């Protein structure tokens, strides 16, 4: 595959950092964005001379636009833009404050909206490009109700992604728009969640250990090489989602056991 220019938000740790290293190893050129400068620069230096670190808060539209501008100034174009930055929450629906709601929507939905609105005009000019939004399986199934408005935000992100894809598909068939839905992933995500991550009664269900960031990143690399609308990084998840929507009551009944 030809080397690509790839922008990754949320690249200072977790999935984004591992993805950056995997892509750098095969020769892609990277623009890496996040707020923590030291961590971001460490990832960037691990990725070699073809990586650029841009300190940015993706909840700020001007910062997201600056990421694009720096990418174009340095590499001339962008092939793939990955809205990966995100944050969880550990609070059930009835306990949510307005501030909780706004924070989850800002970091998980508006950030990606800014990314889409910022890079798609460039993709239109080129007639090609690949926009990838990192969502979550929790956007489809309420496995963890304490994630409440995080799940809602990811469901909103899934919806925005699908609508953008529908808007572009006829006129711009070479612009791909994808959503990625990982299960639980062994990063600092749980620790970084707003209000932390409560241990569910009885502990996490067996089999909910999830995936490593290496597995998720490898699945995203494959998605870049073979664009498609949706990716469950854990292949078993698609069948589970189908079962959930086929009979929500039965699925929830079994989840409670
Ligand atoms: N881990 C999981 O269980 C899991 C499961 C499904 C989906 N996901 C999704 O996968 C994506 C990556 O999560 P992760 O597991 O890698 O989490 P993580 O280890 O907590 O990393 C989150 C990344 O997002 C960045 N970030 C957070 N807020 C930001 C902001 N306002 N502006 C710029 N960057 C920001 C963080 O960098 P700074 O703090 O330096 O800004 C960090 O690089 C998220 O969208 C998450 O929702 C995770």
């Amino acid at each position: 595959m030809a080397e690509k220019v790839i922008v990754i938000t949320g690249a200072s740790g977790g999935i984004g950092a591992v993805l950056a290293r995997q892509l750098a190893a095969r020769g892609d050129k990277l623009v890496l964005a996040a707020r923590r400068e030291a961590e971001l620069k460490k990832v960037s230096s691990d990725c070699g001379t073809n990586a650029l670190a841009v300190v940015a808060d993706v909840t700020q539209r001007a910062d997201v636009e600056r990421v694009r501008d720096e990418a174009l100034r340095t590499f001339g174009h962008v092939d793939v833009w990955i809205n990966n930055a995100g944050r969880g929450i550990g609070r059930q629906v009835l306990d949510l404050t307005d501030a909780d709601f706004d924070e989850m929507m800002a970091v998980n939905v508006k950030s990606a909206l800014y990314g889409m609105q910022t890079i798609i005009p460039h993709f239109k000019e080129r007639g090609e490009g690949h926009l990838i939004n990192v969502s979550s399986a929790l956007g489809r199934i309420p496995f963890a109700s304490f994630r409440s408005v995080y799940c809602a935000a990811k469901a909103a992100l899934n919806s925005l992604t699908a609508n953008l894809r529908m808007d572009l598909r006829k006129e711009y068939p070479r612009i791909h728009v994808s959503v990625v839905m990982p299960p639980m992933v062994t990063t600092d995500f749980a620790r970084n969640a707003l209000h932390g991550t409560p241990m569910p009664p009885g502990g996490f269900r067996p089999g909910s250990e999830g995936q490593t960031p290496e597995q998720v990143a490898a699945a995203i690399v494959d998605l870049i090489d073979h664009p498609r609308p949706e990716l469950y990084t854990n292949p078993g998840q698609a069948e589970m989602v189908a079962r959930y929507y086929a009979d929500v009551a039965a699925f929830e009944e079994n989840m409670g056991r």
Side-chain angles (χ1 to χ4, degrees):
M1 296 276 173
E3 290 143 20
K4 292 185 159 71
V5 178
I6 301 176
V7 175
I8 308 172
T9 72
S12 61
I15 296 166
V18 174
L19 177 60
R21 292 190 185 99
Q22 289 189 6
L23 291 169
R26 64 187 214 155
D28 290 315
K29 300 182 174 88
L30 302 172
V31 179
L32 309 175
R35 295 164 304 176
R36 289 170 301 159
E37 184 168 13
E39 287 80 353
L40 187 67
K41 288 209 163 133
K42 167 77 175 72
V43 176
S44 174
S45 82
D46 291 349
C47 291
T49 49
N50 272 336
L52 173 73
V54 183
V55 175
D57 178 348
V58 294
T59 66
Q60 304 301 309
R61 187 186 283 276
D63 278 24
V64 176
E65 291 175 349
R66 189 165 44 76
V67 173
R68 174 204 56 201
D69 294 346
E70 289 287 309
L72 296 181
R73 198 173 54 77
T74 307
F75 296 117
H77 73 278
V78 171
D79 295 295
V80 183
W81 180 288
I82 306 175
N83 289 312
N84 165 71
R87 189 181 186 196
I89 192 169
R91 202 170 248 188
Q92 290 176 325
V93 171
L94 294 183
D95 298 325
L96 291 171
T97 65
D98 285 6
D100 293 336
F101 191 94
D102 292 347
E103 160 74 5
M104 285 299 104
M105 289 298 163
V107 71
N108 293 300
V109 188
K110 272 178 136 181
S111 61
L113 176 68
Y114 296 155
M116 294 188 275
Q117 292 180 336
T118 294
I119 202 59
I120 294 293
H122 172 69
F123 288 170
K124 282 184 173 178
E125 266 172 36
R126 302 188 77 219
E128 63 182 10
H130 192 175
L131 186 291
I132 299 176
N133 286 330
V134 179
S135 178
S136 167
L138 292 179
R140 289 273 159 87
I141 304 181
F143 280 126
S145 61
F146 57 84
R147 292 273 185 248
S148 62
V149 65
Y150 168 79
C151 307
K154 292 301 195 183
L157 180 59
N158 290 359
S159 183
L160 287 184
T161 312
N163 281 286
L164 174 66
R165 188 167 52 242
M166 295 306 287
D167 288 344
L168 296 173
R169 59 195 287 270
K170 284 222 173 75
E171 203 178 340
Y172 298 96
R174 293 177 64 218
I175 299 180
H176 304 288
V177 181
S178 307
V179 68
V180 177
M181 290 167 284
M184 194 188 293
V185 188
T186 51
T187 64
D188 285 340
F189 176 84
R191 212 177 44 187
N192 292 338
L194 186 59
H195 311 305
T197 296
M199 184 60 80
F204 286 102
R205 287 176 306 118
S208 62
E209 298 80 24
Q211 290 185 301
T212 65
E214 286 74 17
Q215 289 174 310
V216 174
I220 297 174
V221 172
D222 183 68
L223 177 69
I224 291 169
D225 290 343
H226 307 97
R228 49 208 188 270
E230 297 199 340
L231 168 66
Y232 293 100
T233 59
N234 176 352
Q237 212 94 53
E239 184 269 332
M240 206 177 286
V241 169
R243 269 196 293 123
Y244 174 70
Y245 285 104
D247 190 338
V248 169
F251 193 97
E252 290 181 357
E253 181 69 18
N254 285 328
M255 256 198 336
R257 290 208 180 114

